[in-house]
Amino acid sequence: MSDAAQPTAAEVRAAAEAVKTALDRHLAAVERRTGDDDTAVYEAFNALAAAAETYDELLYDRYDEVTPFEIPGADDGLPPYAGPDEPQALSVLIRRDYAVAEPRRLAAQARRVADLDHDEEGPRGTAAAIGVLFGEYEPDEIASRHKEFGLEEGDSTVWVTAAGELPEPGEWLAAPFEQADPERIVCRFDISSVFDDEDDEGTDDGDGDD
């Protein structure tokens, strides 16, 4: 970066003052919070995160220094929430991945279900077996009994998005995930083995052979 493009010392100082102001407002909002979903706290959190990020960038550009602050959730790739303050409807978007760890067990379970339905032939292949099982059981039951069905869990995620009103019946069925708006995500929960790997690396005490 050229000297002409660098922020001035006054700009860095102003950004630092903005962080202080945002910090005071966040604390005041927390002290006055009315519940776990208080929008004032959420807005003050976002304002503090934005002010801290601006200060960090200016500090680095001017002095080649960084702050020790890390705002939780700032690196999750999601934009700030821009949905309604009082949602009238929610959409819960769920994705769960499974590996077919035991095809024979999967087929056997599907044949058992098919027998109950008086289907003499039953499923002839893995894809047919999957169709039988997911046609018989709810996704949550599959998730809780996946090992019984010969499946192995992969990554999963749940997105809860807010809307001003409930969509018309059948409106989104042709493309159920196409209209998912990241700016309307109220909360998100991710499960992945990579998080377990990160925890293991963080708790490694470095012990080894002497």
Side-chain angles (χ1 to χ4, degrees), residues 71-93:
I71 304 298
D75 60 347
D76 61 7
L78 295 178
Y81 178 72
D85 290 337
E86 298 183 6
Q88 300 301 307
L90 297 175
S91 292
V92 181
L93 310 179

Side-chain angles (χ1 to χ4, degrees), residues 106-107 109-111 113-114 119 121-135:
L106 177 66
Q109 290 284 8
R111 279 195 298 271
V113 172
D119 183 349
E121 294 184 358
R124 296 182 178 179
T126 301
I130 292 171
V132 169
L133 287 177
F134 278 85

Side-chain angles (χ1 to χ4, degrees), residues 39-194:
T39 56
V41 175
Y42 186 86
E43 291 171 359
F45 174 91
N46 285 336
L48 176 58
E53 183 178 1
T54 298
Y55 172 61
D56 191 85
E57 291 176 355
L58 294 178
L59 186 70
Y60 181 79
D61 290 344
R62 177 69 184 182
Y63 300 110
D64 198 25
E65 290 289 344
V66 296
T67 67
F69 309 122
E70 181 177 354
I71 304 298
D75 60 347
D76 61 7
L78 295 178
Y81 178 72
D85 290 337
E86 298 183 6
Q88 300 301 307
L90 297 175
S91 292
V92 181
L93 310 179
I94 301 174
R95 172 173 174 170
R96 297 188 181 113
D97 288 352
Y98 298 97
V100 180
E102 301 180 65
R104 291 184 179 179
R105 177 183 291 271
L106 177 66
Q109 290 284 8
R111 279 195 298 271
R112 182 181 62 80
V113 172
D115 288 342
L116 293 176
D117 290 338
H118 306 291
D119 183 349
E120 294 182 359
E121 294 184 358
R124 296 182 178 179
T126 301
I130 292 171
V132 169
L133 287 177
F134 278 85
E136 178 69 18
Y137 298 103
E138 294 288 337
D140 287 344
E141 187 169 3
I142 295 288
S144 64
R145 301 172 57 185
H146 63 277
K147 292 183 179 179
E148 179 182 337
F149 299 134
L151 302 175
E152 182 178 304
E153 285 183 309
D155 289 355
S156 66
T157 187
V158 177
W159 293 15
V160 181
T161 64
E165 59 185 12
L166 197 66
E168 293 295 326
E171 179 179 330
W172 50 259
L173 291 179
F177 304 109
E178 189 176 67
Q179 298 180 0
D181 186 349
E183 293 188 349
R184 288 178 174 263
I185 295 177
V186 178
C187 56
R188 171 178 174 174
F189 306 96
D190 299 326
I191 298 176
S192 175
S193 60
V194 298

